[in-house]
Amino acid sequence: MPPKDQQPGTAAVMADAGRGAADAPLLNRAAWARILPFLTYLFFLLVADLLARFGWHADDLRWLYAVKIGAVMLMLFLFRKHYTELYDASLGARAAIVALVTGAVVLVLWISLDADWMAVGSAPGFKPVTDGRIDWLMVAVRIFGAALVVPVMEELFWRSFLMRWIETPDFERLDPSQVKWKGFAITVLLFGFEHNLWLAGMVAGAAYNLLYVRHRSLWSPILAHALTNGLLGVWIVYTGSWNYW
């Protein structure tokens, strides 16, 4: 250990940290591990849209969802070693309850914030009905994907990566509690307009952001997101409100 008068001061340490962040690549392997599953999901949305434009009927495209979820699962599996924040799945009872309550509240708001001015365009929907009967296997695949795969994929992209990356390219070193207003606000806006119901999307994005910042564990927003999507699926099937899918 160097003598006290030779140890670097606080300013020097901060300067070194700044240089380290500046030297970090804009998108490192950890970033791509979170981006590619999300891009895979978007790719299949584009494929479905193009096929529909070429005359494919919506009923013929329903099983494309299963392919999409399978592809996303494969990507998550291939990059699993990069998701270090998921290694510790422990979440205190109080934090888990808060996450579950938040997920339920987001669901209520999601199906309530549906006025015309709160939506962009119209969602194509997903109607798993064949010859007047519900295809329960199709329903199971849809709820499985929405409740168990999509939350992991989206939280890794939006919260773990983008919200922190906006603050620093070396995002893995940034504690969630240190996220500033810029990363928080931009993520909320983009997450909102990723969805047809943009206002509901922003509310959900803000809620999941707060859980991540407050609990400093990605499992908190994943749990809330999973409950929101799972309960939404049950509500959709019960009410026949297929346009919410």
Side-chain angles (χ1 to χ4, degrees), residues 16-182:
D16 288 341
R19 284 194 295 271
D23 293 340
L26 190 61
L27 292 173
N28 57 23
R29 290 184 179 181
W32 283 113
R34 290 157 176 78
I35 294 171
L36 290 177
F38 183 73
L39 289 182
T40 299
Y41 189 86
L42 295 183
F43 170 76
F44 278 95
L45 292 178
L46 177 62
V47 169
D49 181 68
L50 289 175
L51 291 177
R53 292 175 184 273
F54 279 106
W56 286 60
H57 193 273
D59 289 348
D60 299 325
L61 298 174
R62 292 178 301 180
W63 281 108
L64 188 61
Y65 183 83
V67 178
K68 173 172 63 179
I69 290 301
V72 171
M73 289 176 64
L74 176 61
M75 298 296 288
L76 292 173
F77 176 78
L78 292 176
F79 292 118
R80 65 192 184 282
K81 293 182 180 180
H82 292 280
Y83 307 142
T84 54
E85 66 269 58
L86 298 182
Y87 290 174
D88 183 5
S90 61
L91 189 64
R94 183 175 180 179
I97 292 173
V98 171
L100 290 172
V101 170
T102 300
V105 171
V106 169
L107 166 68
V108 174
L109 294 174
W110 192 277
I111 61 180
S112 301
L113 300 174
D114 61 350
D116 291 342
W117 67 271
M118 300 175 184
V120 177
S122 58
F126 180 88
K127 189 175 182 179
V129 177
T130 303
D131 296 329
R133 295 183 179 182
I134 294 178
D135 188 326
W136 291 106
L137 178 59
M138 199 174 292
V139 168
V141 170
R142 182 76 189 200
I143 293 180
F144 170 83
L148 299 180
V149 180
V150 170
V152 176
M153 175 268 294
E154 286 204 317
E155 294 308 315
L156 281 168
F157 175 76
W158 291 109
R159 253 59 66 180
S160 174
F161 164 63
L162 188 62
M163 188 166 72
R164 294 189 294 170
W165 179 81
I166 291 171
E167 303 291 349
T168 172
D170 195 13
F171 68 96
E172 288 184 291
R173 294 181 178 273
L174 183 67
D175 189 280
S177 64
Q178 300 303 311
V179 171
K180 306 300 182 183
W181 70 268
K182 182 173 68 173

Side-chain angles (χ1 to χ4, degrees), residues 1-4 6-8:
M1 183 175 181
K4 185 174 181 179
Q6 295 181 19
Q7 292 182 25

